[in-house]
């Protein structure tokens, strides 16, 4: 999608208030930036190794992918960050029941991430394999990514896909998402349909990256009828689950009334939140809103501060420079101090 442009009213007419973005597209490198580009998503359709592990806490807004009632002390210790205890308790469980797949997967995860023990991909792979033999979908999902990466075993993309397919058939959310990325890269219509189904399964399990991906596909009309309302809804869910790119995309929809009722004040809140999380595009956009007094009270000091913060990440804006050039020395000093604080606190 191209950029959307709104003219700034009155004395601020020198500043083009471009509230729009180019979302990441499948099978393409990061798009060129005529005006804006969705942040942190240039590799949206690459495999996402940072998705929640079977036993991880609430990562990127996603719910844990395991709800095993027998996880007891081992799982609870892992969730609280007590990894040595988790290792000990999982080991006890396997001693008591050599077919305890959940405990095996937990040991695999600890060795894979090096939590409470020295990282050991080969031992992680061994524990995942034992759990997979017991039909544990979380172990299958982890084996799939390890095969794709060549961790703990020779790299084998075919085997990795097979493991992901097995896990996805059992409804494992991160496997559904990663398999969908592979399927999306195919030119086969059947793979595209399967990718959409897998994205949806992962999205309904509250995997924010999958929700973002569905938003992009509805915005593009790829594999589905183009539907800006559906796109906005999925961007909202992803944003509310912590996806930074989706926060910016949903803010854009709100500001322009694209697929959602226009609400500049709410859009500004999303832009501001993403800006505070260190997103340069959001920092640039909230600066423009402060200049124009759209969605937020007009405040040239805040505008200059956010403009400087975005510029520190390589997103300079001559229009904003011009719009804030009239600050007096004290105002300029305050803006620079605010920007320095925000840069120092950036993730």
């Amino acid at each position: 999608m191209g950029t959307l442009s709104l003219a700034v009213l009155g004395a601020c007419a020198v500043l083009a208030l471009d509230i729009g973005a180019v979302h990441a597209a499948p099978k393409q490198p990061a798009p060129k930036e005529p005006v804006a580009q969705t942040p942190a998503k240039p590799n949206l359709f690459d495999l996402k190794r940072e998705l929640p592990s079977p036993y991880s806490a609430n990562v990127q807004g996603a719910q844990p992918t395991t709800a095993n009632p027998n996880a007891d002390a081992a799982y609870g210790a892992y969730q609280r960050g007590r990894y040595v205890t988790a290792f000990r308790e999982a080991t006890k469980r396997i001693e008591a029941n050599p077919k305890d797949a959940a405990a095996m997967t937990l040991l695999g995860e600890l060795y894979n991430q090096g939590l409470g023990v020295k990282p050991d991909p080969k031992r992680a792979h061994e524990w995942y394999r034992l759990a997979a033999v017991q039909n544990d979908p979380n172990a299958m999902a982890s084996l799939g990514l390890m095969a794709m990466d060549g961790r703990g075993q020779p790299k084998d993309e075919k085997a990795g896909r097979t493991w992901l397919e097995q896990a996805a058939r059992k409804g494992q959310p991160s496997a559904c998402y990663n398999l969908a990325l592979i399927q999306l890269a195919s030119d086969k219509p059947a793979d595209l349909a399967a990718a959409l189904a897998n994205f949806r399964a992962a999205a309904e399990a509250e995997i924010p990256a999958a929700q973002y991906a569905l938003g992009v596909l509805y915005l593009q009309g790829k594999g589905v009828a183009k539907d800006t309302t559906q796109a906005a809804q999925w961007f909202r869910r992803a944003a509310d689950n912590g996806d930074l790119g989706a926060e910016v995309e949903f803010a854009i929809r709100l500001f322009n009334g694209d697929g959602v009722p226009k609400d500049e004040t709410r859009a500004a809140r999303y832009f501001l939140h993403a800006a505070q999380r260190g997103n340069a595009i959001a920092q640039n956009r909230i600066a423009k809103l402060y200049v124009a007094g759209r969605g937020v009270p007009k405040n040239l000091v805040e505008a200059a501060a956010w403009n400087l913060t975005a510029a520190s990440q390589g997103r300079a804006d001559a229009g904003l420079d011009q719009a804030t050039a009239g600050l007096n020395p004290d105002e300029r000093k305050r803006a620079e101090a605010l920007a320095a604080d925000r840069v120092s606190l950036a993730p």
Side-chain angles (χ1 to χ4, degrees):
M1 190 192 82
T3 57
L4 299 174
S5 179
L6 295 171
V8 179
L9 303 176
C12 297
V14 295
L15 174 64
L17 185 57
D18 294 310
I19 303 297
V22 178
H23 51 264
K27 301 169 64 177
Q28 292 181 1
K32 295 180 180 179
E33 286 193 319
V35 177
Q37 174 186 356
T38 298
K41 293 294 179 181
N43 298 312
L44 169 65
F45 295 98
D46 289 342
L47 290 180
K48 296 294 180 182
R49 273 71 174 183
E50 77 276 14
L51 286 178
S53 71
Y55 289 92
S56 65
N58 196 19
V59 179
Q60 291 190 349
Q63 296 301 313
T65 56
T66 294
N68 192 318
N70 299 316
D72 56 60
Y75 178 75
Y78 183 95
Q79 293 287 66
R80 294 191 297 273
R82 298 175 182 173
Y83 304 121
V84 173
T85 300
F87 184 92
R88 183 175 61 248
E89 293 296 330
T91 302
K92 286 181 183 178
R93 285 176 52 177
I94 294 171
E95 290 171 351
N97 177 10
K99 293 186 177 181
D100 190 332
M104 293 173 185
T105 305
L106 178 52
L107 286 180
E109 196 65 26
L110 293 170
Y111 276 117
N112 194 20
Q113 297 190 48
L115 300 172
V117 292
K118 184 178 179 180
D120 191 332
K122 288 186 177 180
R123 295 199 71 178
H125 182 264
E126 291 168 1
W127 281 116
Y128 286 142
R129 288 282 304 201
L130 289 170
V133 169
Q134 303 299 323
N135 292 313
D136 187 289
N138 299 309
M140 294 173 183
S142 294
L143 283 172
L145 293 185
M146 291 190 82
M148 291 282 183
D149 285 334
R151 278 180 56 78
Q153 62 182 313
K155 186 173 182 177
D156 188 336
E157 293 185 0
K158 183 177 179 180
R161 176 167 179 161
T162 298
W163 281 119
L164 290 175
E165 288 171 341
Q166 291 185 48
R169 282 196 293 270
K170 292 178 177 293
Q172 209 282 346
S174 64
C176 289
Y177 175 71
N178 282 310
L179 180 59
L181 296 179
I182 296 170
Q183 292 165 330
L184 197 68
S186 168
D187 294 326
K188 299 177 182 177
D191 276 346
L192 176 57
L196 284 163
N198 281 316
F199 274 137
R200 195 173 299 278
E204 293 294 356
E206 302 301 333
I207 299 290
Q211 294 167 337
Y212 178 90
L214 276 180
V216 170
L217 294 177
Y218 273 110
L219 206 58
Q220 293 177 333
K222 182 176 178 63
V224 290
K226 187 173 182 178
D227 188 330
T228 57
T229 299
Q230 282 288 322
Q233 289 176 358
W234 284 114
F235 286 141
R236 179 194 58 77
R237 285 180 64 171
D240 292 348
N241 274 328
D243 188 284
L244 190 52
E247 280 194 287
V248 177
E249 284 284 8
F250 186 55
I252 292 165
R253 309 302 138 208
L254 284 168
F255 191 92
N256 290 310
D258 184 15
V260 66
K262 182 178 177 67
D263 189 334
E264 293 186 1
T265 300
R266 190 178 176 205
R269 287 199 298 267
Y270 275 92
F271 278 130
L272 183 58
H273 188 258
Q276 291 166 340
R277 293 176 64 193
N279 182 274
I281 290 176
Q283 291 165 353
N284 173 269
R285 293 305 185 264
I286 196 64
K288 292 184 176 186
L289 296 184
Y290 274 119
V291 167
R294 302 276 292 273
V296 290
K298 183 174 180 178
N299 188 324
L300 293 184
V301 172
E302 281 290 341
W306 282 118
N307 182 37
L308 290 168
T309 307
S312 74
Q313 299 192 66
R315 193 165 194 87
D317 190 310
L320 282 169
D321 292 342
Q322 183 180 356
T324 58
L327 293 178
N328 63 42
D330 180 62
E331 290 171 331
R332 174 63 57 180
K333 184 176 180 180
R334 283 162 46 207
E336 290 172 350
L338 284 170
D341 286 343
R342 288 163 184 170
V343 171
S344 69
L345 294 174

